[in-house]
Amino acid sequence: MKDKLHELGARAREEMAEAGSPEELDEIRIRFLGKKGELTRILRGMGGLSAEERPRVGKMANEIRAAIEKELTAKSAILKKLIKEQMLHNEKIDVTLPGTVVWRGGRHPLNIVLEEIENIFLGLGYTIAEGPEIETDYYNFEALNLPKDHPARDMQDTFFISNEILLRTQTSPVQVRTMEKTAPKLPVKIIAPGKVYRRDDDATHSPMFNQVEGLAVDQRITFSDLKGTLAYFAREMFGKKTKTRFRPSYFPFTEPSAEVDVSCVICGGTGCRVCSHTGWLEILGAGMVHPRVLEVSGYNSEDVTGFAFGMGIERITMLKYGIDDMRLLFENDLRFLQQF
Ligand code: DAH
C-alpha cells in the first residue's frame, strides 16, 4: 500500500509538471484527490492493514495529499501569471500606429471664392443683401429697363413658372428690391450673391449658376468711383499686379455701361491659350445705374447717382484656379473637390 501511495505521489508530480493550463490542474486534482479519485480508492484498502500500520499509512496519505495540494496551488499561480503576461504581450497597443482617419469634408471652391469676394466688399463697407430666386417679371426685367418686348431679353431666356413669375436670370433685381426698401435714405452699398438660372448648357455655361451683384448709390457717385472700386477688387482677388480694362458695352439698366477685363491671371498679359492670346480676361459687367432704375426704386435721379456691377462666381473661380470646364464645379467628384 505504501508503494502504491508513493507511486501515486510520483505520478501526480509528473503530471502537474507537464500541465499547461489551470483547467488541466483542476482535472489532475479531481482525478487524484477527488471523492472518487485514486487516493480514496487506495485508502479503501486500509481495512486490511494491521492496527500499527493503519495510522502510519494514514499519516503518509495525508502528507502526500498535502504535498500534491501545495504543488497544485503553486503551479496554478505560476500558470496564471504566465497567461496574464502572455495576454499583456499580445494585446499591447502600439500608440505609434496611425489612427482611424475621420473624413471631415471641405469647402466647395465656389464657396471659397464667394467668401473671398464678400470679405473684400465687407472691408469696403458694403453689406450683404439677398433676394428671391423665384422672381417676378417686373423685378427681373421691367424695373431694370427691359420692357416685355425688349430684344436684350433674348440673351436671358429662362424657366417661366407663369407669364409673370420666373427663375431669376440675374441678381440685378436685388438692386431694385434693396433700393425700394432703403429709399430715400443714403447711401446704399450692398453686394447680393445668389443663384441665377438661364437656358444655357455647355462647358462654360450652366442652367444654374451664381452671381454677385454690387450696388452703390449716393450723392455724387461717379464713374471714377466704379473704376477705383473694381480695380481694387481685381487686385485683392487676383493679385497686386492685376490690371483692369474697361470696354464700352450695353446693359439696359446702366448708362454708360462697361465690360471689365483683368490682365490674364495665367500669363500676366503677354498672351496665352486661356486669354486667347489677348492678354485680357472678361470678369464682369458694370455701369452707372440708369436714371430710370433709380426713379422706379424711389430715388430722385436729379439728386443721386450710383454704380452697379455683376459677376459670375463660377467664371471667377475657373479663372482663379485654372478650371477649364464649368461642369466640374457641379459634378461633386471627390477627386476634383479634394484639391481645394
Ligand atoms: N446682370 C448682368 C448679367 O447678368 C450683369 C451686370 C451688368 C450687372 C452690369 C450689373 C451691371 O449690375 O451694372 O449679365
Side-chain angles (χ1 to χ4, degrees), residues 147-337:
K148 288 250 196 284
D149 55 355
H150 199 287
R153 283 192 179 207
D154 285 356
M155 292 192 303
Q156 299 191 6
D157 192 12
T158 183
F159 305 87
F160 281 80
I161 288 145
S162 71
N163 272 346
E164 295 301 324
I165 298 169
L166 45 86
L167 295 185
R168 68 177 177 189
T169 61
Q170 47 188 351
T171 44
S172 304
V174 186
Q175 288 187 31
V176 179
R177 286 180 173 276
T178 306
M179 283 190 282
E180 277 183 350
K181 266 186 256 161
T182 319
K185 275 183 281 164
L186 291 170
V188 180
K189 271 174 89 178
I190 54 122
I191 54 166
K195 292 187 180 69
V196 299
Y197 304 83
R198 289 186 200 178
R199 196 182 174 283
D200 284 332
D201 199 5
D202 60 39
T204 53
H205 295 87
S206 156
M208 185 285 302
F209 63 106
N210 292 271
Q211 286 188 332
V212 178
E213 193 79 12
L215 174 71
V217 176
D218 205 348
Q219 280 169 327
R220 291 185 294 280
I221 288 217
T222 68
F223 202 91
S224 307
D225 297 320
L226 172 62
K227 285 190 87 171
T229 302
L230 292 180
Y232 170 79
F233 165 73
R235 287 196 302 272
E236 288 293 303
M237 194 69 205
F238 297 110
K240 287 274 167 269
K241 292 207 177 111
T242 310
K243 292 197 198 76
T244 30
R245 179 175 82 169
F246 285 65
R247 282 179 291 108
S249 185
Y250 171 77
F251 297 101
F253 37 89
T254 45
E255 181 59 35
S257 304
E259 269 168 315
V260 180
D261 302 338
V262 292
S263 48
C264 180
V265 295
I266 305 296
C267 65
T270 54
C272 69
R273 211 172 50 87
V274 173
C275 58
S276 310
H277 304 281
T278 62
W280 295 98
L281 298 165
E282 187 194 322
I283 59 158
L284 54 81
M288 298 309 290
V289 180
H290 197 288
R292 277 231 280 276
V293 177
L294 290 170
E295 294 288 341
V296 300
S297 306
Y299 285 99
N300 182 347
S301 62
E302 302 280 322
D303 295 341
V304 304
T305 51
F307 66 71
F309 56 87
M311 64 185 103
I313 304 176
E314 281 77 4
R315 177 154 175 83
I316 307 263
T317 305
M318 289 170 76
L319 294 176
K320 199 169 161 93
Y321 293 111
I323 299 162
D324 59 6
D325 192 326
M326 190 182 283
R327 289 167 287 211
L328 286 166
L329 292 168
F330 304 118
E331 281 166 357
N332 287 335
D333 186 328
L334 287 180
R335 290 168 302 177
F336 172 76
L337 295 176

Side-chain angles (χ1 to χ4, degrees), residues 36-50:
K36 291 175 187 166
E38 290 197 29
L39 187 65
T40 315
R41 214 181 315 132
I42 294 169
L43 293 178
R44 272 203 205 109
M46 291 260 276
L49 293 176
S50 64

